[in-house]
Structures are given as structure tokens and as C-alpha cells.
Amino acid sequence: MIKVSAPGKIHFLGEHAIVFGKPAILAAINLRCVVSLNPNKTGKIKTFSRQLVKGKERFDAIDIAVSETFKFLKKPKALGFNLQLDSKIPVGCGLGSSAAVSVSVIGALFLLLGEKFDKKKINQIAYLTEQKIHGFPSGGDNSTATYGGLVWYRKEAEDLKIIEPLPFLLAKNLARNFVLIDTGRPKETTGEMVAGVRKLFGKRPQWTEKIFNDQEKLVKKLLSALKENNERLVMETIRLGERNLEKIGVVGNFSHDLIRQVESLGGVAKICGAGGDKDRSGILLAYHVKPELLVALTKKLNLNSYVVALGEEGVRQDG
Ligand code: MEV
């Protein structure tokens, strides 16, 4: 039996602008998707998952990842195997669940087919898979699921991406004060949110570009703040980055109000990933010097919150 896992991710900052060539900082989290492969003699591919529902978007990620891998490696699809997927990453709320599915499925197939576990190739195929699922993804989610850690990501052109794993870890005092707040699954998919921002860009190119330029400056400030363990600056970049995300219409009213509540308690929060405008906006990345105050707030509001480790390992063989 072959076992491969890949992590989910959070966007520190730069989501959406990343699709338009601006940089983003992402971090792998300690919630993983595990794929187990067992060859069978039927010559057929059978897929199982406890969390994913057949006929729903994320189940497609498995089938698409399988066929993109065979296509990329120019192998005939003659093998039969059972593929079991077990993911701890909540689906559809900005934690990169589909990218983690793609990366772990592709990694497991590489081992099954006797290919070298080449992360660059795995990431390339995962990007092709993500394109089929989401339309115009940046490639940031699959790169973080592949390489892990803290990742500086920028797409210069379709075939040139700067993926720079950051050579430092978060200082302990910073790392323990982040809380992920689940506002609930958005009505829109990632692809729909990205398409919405693209439409806005088409209508008001200069105005949108200005926001993206400002977001780029904030991402650069955040980079130094994380490196230098400058808590005040980390908080400021998150607060201002959120304002930019609100301007481009990816934060629904519920999350907007919740973020203001977090701020009135002395913390900061932002949507984390594609967001959602019609109703809920998926996961919020929140920070407070006393994170227990945020956990208490989410309990009062009957929302789930997660305290996660940031900067986990990328795709790896587990067995
Ligand atoms: C989704 O997690 C992040 C977006 O920037 C889309 C992408 O990067 O592909 C909204």
C-alpha cells in the first residue's frame, strides 16, 4: 500500500491580487489530506472518500488529478487501483482543500508508477488540475501543498512562477496567537470568486490595479514584520489588507461585522483565501495577543475556531 499526504494552507495575505501577478505569503497548516493507493487486478480505478461526496466539485479533483498525471507522464491508463482519500481539511472555506487533494493524489500516483518523487513535476500537474477545477487559479494553493512551510509566491507569467520557501519560522509568540475562525461555507466556489474579481477588474481596471498595488506593498511589509517578529506591524498589515479585500467585494456582511467585533476587542482578522460575498466567507485568519478572547467570542457566536500550527511540511510519503 502507498500512502502520501499533503497539507492545507492559509493565505497570510495577497489572495486575489496573486491571480493578477502580485506576490502573496502563504503558510502550510497541520491539517492534511492522506491518500492511500492499493493496486487491484480489475484494471479499473476505484475511488473512495469518507469526506467527499461523489458528484460534488472536490470529488472531481481526484479524477482530474488522476487523468492529468497519466497525460503528463504519457502513460496509458492500464493500471487498476483502489484510491482511498482521508482529509482533515474542511472543504470549500479557503484552506486549499482541493489543492491538497490534487497534490496528494498525484504524489501517490508517482510512487505507484515508479516515478521519482519530483516535487516540481508534482506541482506542475497539480496546477493543471487546479486550472480544470477553478478556471484561473494562481497556483499558490498547490505550491504551498507541495513545498510546505511559509511560501512567498508570485506568478510572473503562465510558465514562470516564483515559489520561494521562506527561510525562517514564525517566532513562537506570533505563532501561538493566530486563530482560524470558520464563518461557514460560502455560497460561491473559489472559481466564481476569482471570476467576480476578474469582472471587477474588467470594469474598473485602474481602480482595481491601485488596490492590488497597495496590497503588494502590504505583503512586502508583512514579510519583514514576520521575519523581524514585529507584532504591531503584522497586525497592521492584516487589518489594512482586509480593508482592500472588502473593497474588491470578497467579504460578505456577516464576516465584515465579525471582523469589526474582533477589532473592537483589540485583535485583527481577515478573510483567508477566496472569501465569499453572498453570505458566509469561509475561514478568517485572526490574531490577538490574547487568542483566548477570540475563542470565547466564537463560542458565544456558535462558530468553530481552530488553533493550528503554521509552516508544516509539504507533500510527503507517509507509508
Ligand atoms: C484561493 O485560495 C486564493 C485565490 O487567490 C485564488 C488563487 O490563488 O488561485 C482567491
Side-chain angles (χ1 to χ4, degrees):
M1 158 135 70
I2 289 164
K3 231 180 190 183
V4 169
S5 71
K9 68 101 214 338
I10 57 122
H11 258 280
F12 259 121
L13 198 57
E15 57 272 84
H16 286 291
I18 190 179
V19 178
F20 295 81
K22 304 295 180 197
I25 301 175
L26 299 102
I29 58 175
N30 61 339
L31 300 173
R32 300 184 79 84
C33 168
V34 184
V35 163
S36 310
L37 279 190
N38 260 321
N40 69 34
K41 294 209 170 73
T42 66
K44 294 211 171 89
I45 300 170
K46 293 186 178 162
T47 47
F48 310 88
S49 170
R50 249 179 269 143
Q51 297 82 15
L52 306 184
V53 185
K54 271 217 192 247
K56 289 257 167 109
E57 14 139 22
R58 309 297 147 161
F59 214 92
D60 291 0
I62 303 179
D63 298 336
I64 299 170
V66 170
S67 66
E68 287 299 319
T69 307
F70 280 100
K71 205 161 43 161
F72 185 93
L73 297 173
K74 299 191 175 61
K75 300 253 176 178
K77 238 185 188 175
L79 280 175
F81 54 84
N82 298 342
L83 186 156
Q84 170 82 39
L85 190 136
D86 193 1
S87 181
K88 298 276 178 289
I89 308 165
V91 173
C93 53
L95 292 179
S97 60
S98 77
V101 168
S102 309
V103 168
S104 48
V105 166
I106 297 161
L109 280 176
F110 266 52
L111 295 180
L112 183 76
L113 297 168
E115 291 286 322
K116 193 169 148 241
F117 203 71
D118 180 337
K119 288 194 178 178
K120 197 166 174 202
K121 283 190 188 159
I122 292 172
N123 197 32
Q124 264 176 298
I125 304 171
Y127 180 53
L128 294 169
T129 307
E130 285 278 281
Q131 280 178 316
K132 289 245 155 87
I133 300 170
H134 297 307
F136 297 98
S138 60
D141 289 13
N142 50 277
S143 299
T144 311
T146 304
Y147 295 103
L150 292 175
V151 176
W152 174 269
Y153 181 91
R154 183 176 195 136
K155 191 170 93 173
E156 300 292 342
E158 206 45 54
D159 50 4
L160 178 64
K161 300 178 192 81
I162 296 175
I163 306 160
E164 193 65 40
L166 296 177
F168 57 85
L169 293 172
L170 281 189
K172 284 214 175 72
N173 65 314
L174 276 182
R176 62 170 172 249
N177 291 343
F178 284 100
V179 179
L180 302 184
I181 302 175
D182 192 354
T183 69
R185 198 171 169 171
K187 288 222 160 72
E188 306 91 330
T189 64
T190 296
E192 283 162 358
M193 291 310 293
V194 170
V197 176
R198 198 169 269 278
K199 204 165 149 198
L200 179 71
F201 187 81
K203 269 198 209 146
R204 304 180 67 187
Q206 280 166 355
W207 182 81
T208 319
E209 181 72 25
K210 228 172 119 210
I211 295 172
F212 289 157
N213 286 342
D214 191 52
Q215 206 71 335
E216 173 167 18
K217 282 190 198 136
L218 290 173
V219 169
K220 287 180 178 162
K221 273 194 195 164
L222 178 63
L223 176 67
S224 349
L226 291 173
K227 197 166 150 198
E228 289 156 14
N229 189 16
N230 182 340
E231 185 175 62
R232 189 198 54 77
L233 194 56
V234 168
M235 290 179 75
E236 186 180 296
T237 49
I238 290 178
R239 191 175 58 79
L240 295 175
E242 164 63 22
R243 295 296 183 278
N244 282 337
L245 289 160
E246 289 171 9
K247 286 183 197 152
I248 59 169
V250 294
V251 185
N253 289 340
F254 181 85
S255 298
H256 173 280
D257 295 349
L258 177 55
I259 289 166
R260 295 303 184 274
Q261 260 182 286
V262 169
E263 289 176 359
S264 68
L265 289 174
V268 290
K270 62 176 276 289
I271 62 131
C272 185
D277 180 45
K278 286 187 184 141
D279 184 14
R280 304 302 169 106
S281 314
I283 292 285
L284 303 182
L285 175 68
Y287 186 92
H288 200 294
V289 286
K290 287 189 184 147
E292 60 279 8
L293 291 184
L294 300 184
V295 174
L297 173 69
T298 55
K299 276 205 185 119
K300 201 175 87 191
L301 298 171
N302 249 330
L303 297 173
N304 284 331
S305 61
Y306 308 83
V307 178
V308 287
L310 302 178
E312 290 292 299
E313 200 184 337
V315 64
R316 66 169 185 232
Q317 183 171 5
D318 279 347

